[in-house]
Structures are given as structure tokens and as C-alpha cells.
């Protein structure tokens, strides 16, 4: 079995590890030389990850059996459609179905049309007409561009802007760049990620994870791609019960069915739902059409079933034929990021990683002759895995502390104090 992996972040490093653990040969296409992926690859190519001529050349030369697409950008440009023309099936949706992530209105419309639970009040606008009166009606709302924004487009009233007139201003800016803008009821609660695998007919959940989007400790500072994340040994979260995870899974199953009914195409790949537990139950915030980064690093290392077998079942449509098992361990992931990230990160600066017990997954790193250089985005993810979250946190912390260079990280992720705050927050909403 030969697997072509597209992408070069920490998520793809974790995918590369899962693929090669399944004894498949790895062929990688990366935009920069990720040393972790490189060391696991039997063939590696560096270039634009959605360039058709390069992909055709790789397929002709290495003849992969399947492809696994890591990030959302190549899904949006139709790399899966192109690979399918070359007779390589992919774990990842075709362009039309990647709209699950690339168009927030596509997902909300499906949810509405097929009566799927967990929907907040929302409306999409293609012009400024009556936007302000809808804002008046909702009072507390969020504004979402209807397109990919690298995780930085959503603005929340009360956090990113204060008044309706500032909200109107932002909508105008969004409509200059995107076909539509969504104004949506602001939900209050605790967020969690449920990453599901699907062949379009059957849906399997991986353990739930909580990510930390804010740059600084105590959830302050600007939004980032995610500074770290944790999962628990019981495959629940401290503020979440099994019934909540079941609710989220039911929503994802409903969406998978709705996608097929609506388009006639089976969705193959990852449906990663961002959910929020509110006073009125579990609500859907959004879907991503790929694994989360950092959430992939929490679940892939725990997979006891061969990931390559799972990938094969996804492309064949036989995901119901075996049970996917995850080991009952806790995981904590902490990212080191360049000083100044996300707004003004230092770039092209060298770091050194000292001895530590954590697993290291390389992200925005380029390995050059004289060492590891940060490229400006999240640099290295350190993951601790253990029987208890305390121990997993200690291991991850040892990892981030071992880095020498102009970096910072969030010490609080996975700590007792932070988990307690999450539990108390939910208790204040749902006594
Ligand atoms: P993104 O991942 O960039 O699309 O942004 C999603 C983030 O915006 C979420 O993780 C939430 O923190 C926030 N968000 C999105 N929709 C809502 C909503 N309806 N209510 C409250 N927060 C939201
Ligand atoms: N952890 C957020 C994301 O992958 O979009």
C-alpha cells in the first residue's frame, strides 16, 4: 500500500506517523521541508501543494494507491477531483463537498433544510439591505464571512467589536471580498471539537478534544489557529457527558446523509464539527472538511486500529465493517510559536529543541543545512500522552520548555486550574 500525503504542517506530520505505523509506504508533497514528514517518507516532493502538473508527475512516478489531503486549501482548489481523474481515490471531499468548510452558508442551509438539530438563528446576506435590523433583532451576534479566511474572519459582538454600527462596517468589508456574509445568534457555552471519519454512508467519531484559540494564557489576546488542546482518558471532556457527544455525532450523521441527498455524492474524509455546549444543549458552530490542527495530534496517536485500513475503508465505502479503537489515554498538546505570533511573528529564525519526553510534531518549520528555521506560523507542537491528564500535561510542558529561541507558548493548557474553569463555566449555565 502506498499513500500520497499532501501538506506539511504538524497535523500532516501526525498523519504521516499514523500512515507509516500502518506499514504503508509514504509519498509526501510539501510546500516546505517538514523534517518529521521527510524522515518518514520513501519519496518526498517539495513544491506547490495544489499544482496539477506536479501532482500528475508524482502520481506517474510513484503510483500511490490512495491520497490523504491534510489542509483545506487543496480541497478548495479541487485536488481531490484532479486525483480522481488520475484514478487515485482520496481521503478528503471533492471540491463541491468541501463547501462544508469553504461556505458557511452551504452548511447552515443544509442544516436548516434537513431539520438537523443544533442550529442557532442565522441569516445570510448578499447585500447590506436589512442587515442592521437583523442585528437589532438578535442583539448578541457574530459575523462570518462566507468563505475561507484562515480562521481569522469570524468576529463576535462584545469581543471583536462593540456596536451594531461597527458590525455593519465589518459586514461591508466582508462583502467587498466574499459573495455573502452570515449574521448569526451569539452562543454562549464551552466549545469542543468532534472529528468524525466518514465514507459518506457511515460515520465514526474520534475522541472529543478541546482546542485553545486565544494566543495568551487565560484565553486572552488575538485568535490563532489554535495554541494547544487536550483530550481525556475516558474519551469525554471534564464538562461534557456521553449524551452530549452522542448529540454531536447525531448532528454529523444527519449532515452526512443530507450532503448525499442534496448532491448525490458520498462525502469521503473527515467531518470535523466545532460544537458548543450551551444552556439549550449542543449547537453546531461550523464544520471543517479535514482534521483539526492541533486536534489531529490528540486523536491520531491514540488510534489502535490501523489508520491505513480506515483510509481504505473510507474510499471503498466499507467503514461499517470494523470498529475503530482508540486507546484510553489522556493527551495534551502545546504549541511553541514565534514571538509576535499571530500578528507580527519573527520569521526565518533558528530554534533548537533540547532533550524531552514529549512527542514533537513539526509545523511551520523549514529544515535547512544548519538547523531548524521558523517560518512565522505555529512552529512545533509537543504532545504528552499518559494515563492521566496531569502527567500528559507535565510531559507536554517539558517539551515546550526544551525549546531555545524567540518563542512563546501557553503554560495553562491541560492544567487542573484551566479544566476547573471550564467545568465551572458550564455549571454556571446548566446548574
Ligand atoms: P472559525 O473557526 O474562524 O470559523 O471561528 C470560529 C470561532 O468563532 C469559534 O471557535 C467560536 O469561538 C466563534 N464563534 C463562531 N460562531 C459563533 C456563535 N454563533 N456564537 C459564539 N461564538 C461563535
Ligand atoms: N483547531 C482549529 C482548526 O483546525 O481549524
Amino acid at each position: 500500500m502506498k499513500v500520497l500525503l499532501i501538506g506539511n504542517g504538524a497535523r500532516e506530520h501526525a498523519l504521516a506517523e499514523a500512515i507509516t505505523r500502518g506499514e504503508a509506504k509514504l509519498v509526501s508533497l510539501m510546500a516546505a521541508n517538514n523534517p518529521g514528514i521527510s524522515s518518514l517518507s520513501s519519496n518526498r516532493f517539495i513544491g506547490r501543494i495544489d499544482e496539477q502538473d506536479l501532482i500528475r508527475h508524482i502520481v506517474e512516478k510513484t503510483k500511490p494507491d490512495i491520497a490523504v489531503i491534510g489542509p483545506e486549501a487543496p480541497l478548495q482548489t479541487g485536488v481531490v477531483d484532479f486525483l480522481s481523474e488520475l484514478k487515485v481515490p482520496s481521503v478528503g471531499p471533492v471540491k463541491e463537498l468541501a463547501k462544508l468548510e469553504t461556505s458557511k452558508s452551504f452548511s447552515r442551509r443544509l442544516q436548516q433544510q434537513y431539520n438537523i438539530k443544533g442550529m442557532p438563528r442565522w441569516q445570510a446576506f448578499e447585500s447590506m439591505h436589512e442587515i442592521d435590523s437583523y442585528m437589532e433583532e438578535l442583539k448578541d451576534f457574530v459575523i462570518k464571512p462566507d468563505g475561507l479566511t484562515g480562521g481569522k474572519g469570524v468576529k463576535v459582538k462584545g469581543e471583536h467589536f462593540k456596536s451594531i454600527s461597527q458590525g455593519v462596517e465589518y459586514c461591508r468589508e466582508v462583502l467587498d471580498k466574499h459573495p455573502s456574509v452570515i449574521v448569526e445568534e451569539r452562543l454562549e457555552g464551552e466549545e469542543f471539537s468532534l472529528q468524525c471519519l466518514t465514507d459518506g454512508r457511515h460515520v465514526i467519531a474520534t475522541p472529543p478534544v478541546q482546542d485553545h484559540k486565544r494566543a495568551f494564557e487565560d484565553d486572552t489576546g488575538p485568535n490563532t489557529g489554535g495554541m494547544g488542546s487536550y483530550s481525556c482518558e475516558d474519551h469525554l471532556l471534564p464538562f461534557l457527558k456521553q449524551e452530549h457527544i452522542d448529540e454531536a455525532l447525531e448532528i454529523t450523521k444527519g449532515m452526512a446523509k443530507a450532503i448525499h441527498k442534496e448532491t448525490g455524492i458520498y462525502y469521503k474524509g473527515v467531518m470535523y464539527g466545532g460544537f458548543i455546549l450551551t444552556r439549550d444543549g449542543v449547537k453546531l458552530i461550523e464544520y471543517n472538511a479535514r482534521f483539526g490542527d492541533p486536534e489531529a495530534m490528540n486523536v491520531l496517536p491514540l488510534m489502535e486500529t490501523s489508520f491505513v485500513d480506515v483510509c481504505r475503508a473510507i474510499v471503498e465505502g466499507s467503514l461499517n465493517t470494523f470498529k475503530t479503537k482508540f486507546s484510553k489515554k489522556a493527551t495534551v498538546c502545546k504549541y511553541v510559536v514565534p514571538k509576535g505570533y499571530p500578528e507580527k511573528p519573527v520569521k526565518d529564525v533558528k530554534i533548537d529543541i533540547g532533550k524531552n519526553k514529549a512527542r514533537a510534531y513539526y509545523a511551520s518549520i523549514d529544515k535547512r543545512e544548519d538547523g531548524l528555521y521558523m517560518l512565522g506560523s505555529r512552529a512545533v507542537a509537543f504532545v504528552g500522552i499518559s494515563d492521566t491528564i496531569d502527567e500528559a500535561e507535565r510531559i507536554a510542558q517539558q517539551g515546550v520548555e526544551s525549546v531555545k529561541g524567540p518563542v512563546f507558548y501557553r503554560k495553562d493548557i491541560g492544567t487542573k486550574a484551566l479544566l476547573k474553569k471550564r467545568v465551572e463555566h458550564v455549571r454556571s449555565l446548566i446548574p
Side-chain angles (χ1 to χ4, degrees):
M1 188 83 171
K2 203 181 259 181
V3 181
L4 168 62
L5 173 66
I6 294 184
N8 51 279
R11 166 183 50 212
E12 289 75 28
H13 185 181
L15 283 164
E17 190 184 74
I19 290 164
T20 50
R21 206 171 52 221
E23 285 168 16
K25 280 222 160 89
L26 179 69
V27 178
S28 55
L29 170 56
M30 302 181 277
N33 182 16
N34 179 312
I37 299 172
S38 277
S39 69
L40 295 168
S41 303
S42 49
N43 286 82
R44 51 149 227 202
F45 298 84
I46 296 181
R48 268 196 37 210
I49 61 172
D50 58 358
E51 194 191 311
Q52 295 197 348
D53 286 344
L54 178 57
I55 292 173
R56 182 183 292 111
H57 166 76
I58 294 171
V59 167
E60 282 168 2
K61 194 162 172 213
T62 66
K63 303 195 168 30
D65 299 290
I66 55 172
V68 174
I69 319 298
E72 60 276 21
L75 296 172
Q76 185 183 29
T77 56
V79 161
V80 171
D81 309 58
F82 183 64
L83 280 162
S84 160
E85 283 171 27
L86 302 175
K87 306 272 179 287
V88 181
S90 297
V91 175
V94 293
K95 184 175 175 171
E96 189 182 344
L97 302 193
K99 283 202 308 212
L100 185 70
E101 170 164 3
T102 60
S103 164
K104 292 183 197 291
S105 62
F106 171 78
S107 304
R108 283 287 184 233
R109 282 205 181 96
L110 274 184
Q111 197 182 6
Q112 188 163 42
Q113 220 169 311
Y114 290 85
N115 252 323
I116 296 165
K117 279 172 61 176
M119 191 178 75
R121 297 164 68 200
W122 68 281
Q123 223 170 286
F125 294 88
E126 285 167 15
S127 76
M128 297 301 292
H129 185 62
E130 292 186 345
I131 277 195
D132 50 349
S133 54
Y134 192 58
M135 289 177 176
E136 300 272 5
E137 190 184 318
L138 290 182
K139 285 194 182 64
D140 279 325
F141 56 88
V142 304
I143 298 171
K144 304 181 167 190
D146 199 12
L148 281 187
T149 56
K152 282 148 202 140
V154 176
K155 293 214 190 291
V156 180
K157 181 161 172 268
E159 271 181 49
H160 304 103
F161 63 94
K162 298 276 175 263
S163 64
I164 288 184
S165 65
Q166 286 169 337
V168 166
E169 204 42 53
Y170 182 56
C171 286
R172 200 167 276 133
E173 253 174 64
V174 170
L175 283 177
D176 279 345
K177 287 195 220 123
H178 300 273
S180 72
V181 63
I182 289 173
V183 179
E184 182 171 289
E185 169 191 358
R186 180 185 175 174
L187 302 165
E188 211 216 318
E190 274 301 319
E191 290 180 45
F192 63 98
S193 306
L194 191 70
Q195 304 169 96
C196 291
L197 297 156
T198 181
D199 58 11
R201 300 169 177 87
H202 319 99
V203 180
I204 288 175
T206 67
V209 179
Q210 190 172 43
D211 182 20
H212 300 71
K213 283 216 153 68
R214 299 302 197 96
F216 310 133
E217 271 150 41
D218 280 327
D219 300 314
T220 55
N223 271 334
T224 70
M227 294 294 290
S229 48
Y230 67 89
S231 72
C232 299
E233 67 282 1
D234 55 5
H235 297 172
L236 304 174
L237 292 171
F239 58 87
L240 208 62
K241 298 193 184 117
Q242 187 60 46
E243 65 193 71
H244 302 128
I245 297 163
D246 294 344
E247 264 181 73
L249 179 58
E250 276 315 303
I251 292 172
T252 301
K253 284 182 173 169
M255 286 293 280
K257 219 174 183 175
I259 290 170
H260 180 249
K261 273 208 172 136
E262 194 62 19
T263 65
I265 314 170
Y266 288 113
Y267 184 108
K268 292 178 183 292
V270 181
M271 290 175 72
Y272 148 19
F275 294 96
I276 184 166
L277 176 60
T278 72
R279 149 177 311 126
D280 305 317
V282 171
K283 305 274 180 187
L284 172 69
I285 287 191
E286 62 175 2
Y287 274 107
N288 295 311
R290 45 156 179 97
F291 277 108
D293 186 345
E295 294 96 319
M297 282 82 88
N298 298 94
V299 302
L300 288 170
L302 298 186
M303 209 182 242
E304 289 176 355
T305 322
S306 153
F307 180 63
V308 172
D309 288 347
V310 173
C311 290
R312 196 187 285 122
I314 288 173
V315 302
E316 286 173 355
S318 57
L319 207 52
N320 56 326
T321 55
F322 58 88
K323 209 169 151 41
T324 315
K325 275 184 74 181
F326 294 86
S327 51
K328 294 267 182 186
K329 301 258 186 207
T331 66
V332 173
C333 174
K334 300 195 193 203
Y335 254 116
V336 291
V337 303
K339 280 229 161 93
Y341 173 82
E343 275 139 8
K344 280 201 188 117
V346 296
K347 283 183 192 167
D348 285 310
V349 194
K350 215 173 131 183
I351 55 166
D352 287 302
I353 302 176
K355 252 185 99 155
N356 70 86
K357 279 203 204 137
R359 297 174 182 227
Y361 295 96
Y362 297 99
S364 181
I365 285 279
D366 195 26
K367 186 175 180 190
R368 299 179 190 163
E369 271 182 15
D370 61 335
L372 301 176
Y373 281 81
M374 294 193 289
L375 296 176
S377 199
R378 295 175 293 176
V380 187
F382 289 92
V383 179
I385 301 177
S386 187
D387 291 334
T388 65
I389 194 148
D390 285 358
E391 183 56 20
E393 191 275 329
R394 267 195 291 277
I395 297 168
Q397 183 60 26
Q398 205 189 73
V400 292
E401 280 175 12
S402 76
V403 176
K404 304 255 172 331
V407 297
F408 74 96
Y409 53 82
R410 273 184 64 167
K411 200 172 175 179
D412 60 347
I413 294 170
T415 58
K416 268 207 178 73
L418 198 63
L419 299 191
K420 190 162 162 249
K421 253 174 62 180
R422 305 292 190 231
V423 171
E424 280 167 3
H425 181 208
V426 167
R427 228 176 254 150
S428 74
L429 296 170
I430 315 168

